[in-house]
Amino acid sequence: MATEIKSLDQLSEVAEGTAPVAEVETPREPVRDALGRAYATGKRKDAVARVWIRPGSGKVTVNGKEMAVYFARPVLQMILRQPFTVAGVSGQFDVNATVAGGGLSGQAGAVKHGISKALQLYDPTLRGALKAAGFLTRDSRVVERKKYGRRKARRSFQFSKR
């Protein structure tokens, strides 16, 4: 952190270069386990995904099934491939994911979030591209709870005068 400047003398010292200046941030270190994998947890709606990535041929396994079998819709498969295309590492990592809770759309978003976090842990130089695309931010939107006296969260019961 930079030191706080409280007077004009301190400001002139900083300008002249005689005052201590904040250190340059050290680059992030890769975080990998003994098997060379990076692990991250992704979340979306009610779904939670545990994701491990390691160098490989681009094989994606979700809950023991191939990606095309578990996520049959092409849109969901595209969501899972987005972090790799943005980072420019398509086909270079194998993914093993375990996902629970929520529906298929939320699970696909959770796996995408987990892959993005694991990629930036495996190779910190990819962080800028993933962060700029917004893949490292957890989407905190969840379903609003049902209130009493209402049919749903906000929908009222039908009103009839007669």
Side-chain angles (χ1 to χ4, degrees):
M1 279 291 230
T3 57
E4 190 174 335
I5 300 172
K6 296 184 179 180
S7 69
L8 290 174
D9 295 332
Q10 290 177 341
L11 181 61
S12 62
E13 289 175 4
V14 171
E16 294 170 5
T18 57
V21 182
E23 307 86 37
V24 176
E25 186 176 325
T26 58
R28 295 174 185 259
E29 292 293 322
V31 180
R32 300 178 194 149
D33 63 3
L35 299 174
R37 303 176 300 183
Y39 168 78
T41 304
K43 296 181 180 182
R44 171 81 170 95
K45 293 187 178 178
D46 275 342
V48 179
R50 300 182 303 160
V51 179
W52 291 267
I53 65 164
R54 66 170 177 243
S57 59
K59 181 179 174 188
V60 178
T61 308
V62 180
N63 287 353
K65 298 179 182 177
E66 290 293 320
M67 175 181 64
V69 175
Y70 194 84
F71 294 114
R73 286 187 279 170
V75 172
L76 300 179
Q77 295 174 23
M78 179 199 69
I79 288 174
L80 260 63
R81 284 191 290 267
Q82 281 179 336
F84 296 113
T85 55
V86 166
V89 292
S90 298
Q92 296 179 19
F93 289 96
D94 288 342
V95 177
N96 187 12
T98 306
V99 63
L104 284 178
S105 175
Q107 289 184 351
V111 173
K112 170 185 161 182
H113 186 225
I115 289 172
S116 302
K117 286 171 61 175
L119 275 173
Q120 68 101 18
L121 286 174
Y122 190 89
D123 186 4
T125 60
L126 302 177
R127 180 176 170 82
L130 293 169
K131 189 160 178 66
F135 294 162
L136 298 178
T137 305
R138 197 258 201 237
D139 190 355
S140 61
R141 295 176 297 170
V142 293
V143 178
E144 188 175 350
R145 77 171 189 89
K146 183 194 176 302
K147 278 69 165 198
Y148 62 90
R150 299 266 174 187
R151 217 174 103 197
K152 293 168 53 179
R154 299 182 182 208
R155 171 91 163 88
S156 300
F157 292 109
Q158 182 174 349
F159 176 77
S160 176
K161 203 164 192 174
R162 297 181 202 154

